[in-house]
Amino acid sequence: MTDNSITVIGSGATALAAAAYLTIKGKQVILCDREQGQRFRDIEDGGGITLEGVMETGSPVLPFRMTDDFQDAVGNARRILVCVSADRHREIADLCSPYAREGQTYVISPGNLGAVIFVDRFYKKGKRVSRPRNLWEISARAV
C-alpha cells in the first residue's frame, strides 16, 4: 500500500460516505466488510457511491477496491478507519487482529469506547499495542 491509501471498514452510511469522500480527495480507498459481496457488486453496478447534501458529488465515485477479505484489506494497510456501529466493534477487532502489525493506525468511528475494545482484543491476540493511560488519550487517538 502507498502513503495515499486507507482501508475503510464497514458498509453502512458512515463507511460509504467516508470511502466516497476520501476517494474524491485522491486517496486510494479499500472498502471492506464481512459478507458484503452483493452490496459491493450493487455499488459497482450502480457506478459507485453518490454523496448528497453538504458533500454532494454530483456523480458516483468508486473506491479503489471493495472486498470482504480482511487479510487483503488490513494486512498491508497502514491506516484503517473503522466505521461500524459500537455493537460490531468486538467482531471487527477480532477480524482485524490476526493481521494487525506494528506501525498501523486504527481510527474508530463512532468512538463509544471502541478503542478500549480494540486494544483489549489485540492484546489478547498477542499483538503489541500502546495502552493509553487514561480515557482522554483513548479519545484523542480515536479522533
Side-chain angles (χ1 to χ4, degrees):
M1 287 283 108
T2 67
D3 284 342
N4 198 35
S5 65
I6 185 166
T7 293
V8 176
I9 297 176
S11 58
T14 302
L16 296 181
Y21 176 78
L22 291 166
T23 298
I24 290 166
K25 292 298 183 182
K27 301 297 180 190
Q28 190 176 47
V29 176
I30 297 173
L31 183 60
C32 178
D33 202 354
R34 191 170 71 86
E35 299 176 4
Q36 293 299 319
Q38 184 60 52
R39 182 173 179 89
F40 291 158
R41 283 190 294 280
D42 291 344
I43 291 169
E44 285 178 347
D45 292 346
I49 303 163
T50 303
L51 296 177
E52 298 175 357
V54 175
M55 297 190 325
E56 188 169 340
T57 59
S59 59
V61 295
L62 272 172
F64 173 69
R65 186 165 72 245
M66 294 182 282
T67 183
D68 60 1
D69 182 344
F70 276 76
Q71 182 175 7
D72 174 46
V74 174
N76 294 317
R78 290 187 45 212
R79 296 175 293 190
I80 299 98
L81 175 58
V82 179
C83 299
V84 299
S85 57
D87 63 332
R88 292 192 64 205
H89 284 168
R90 182 168 285 128
E91 167 202 350
I92 298 301
D94 286 343
L95 289 166
C96 291
S97 62
Y99 315 111
R101 58 180 176 72
E102 191 168 333
Q104 288 180 321
T105 300
Y106 285 78
V107 177
I108 319 302
S109 171
N112 296 341
L113 297 178
V116 173
I117 292 170
F118 270 74
V119 167
D120 177 65
R121 304 309 280 191
F122 281 31
Y123 182 76
K124 286 179 179 174
K125 293 280 187 178
K127 303 294 179 176
R128 286 186 49 196
V129 293
S130 58
R131 284 194 172 259
R133 293 184 303 257
N134 57 51
L135 290 180
W136 175 252
E137 286 187 40
I138 292 169
S139 297
R141 289 169 192 248
V143 171

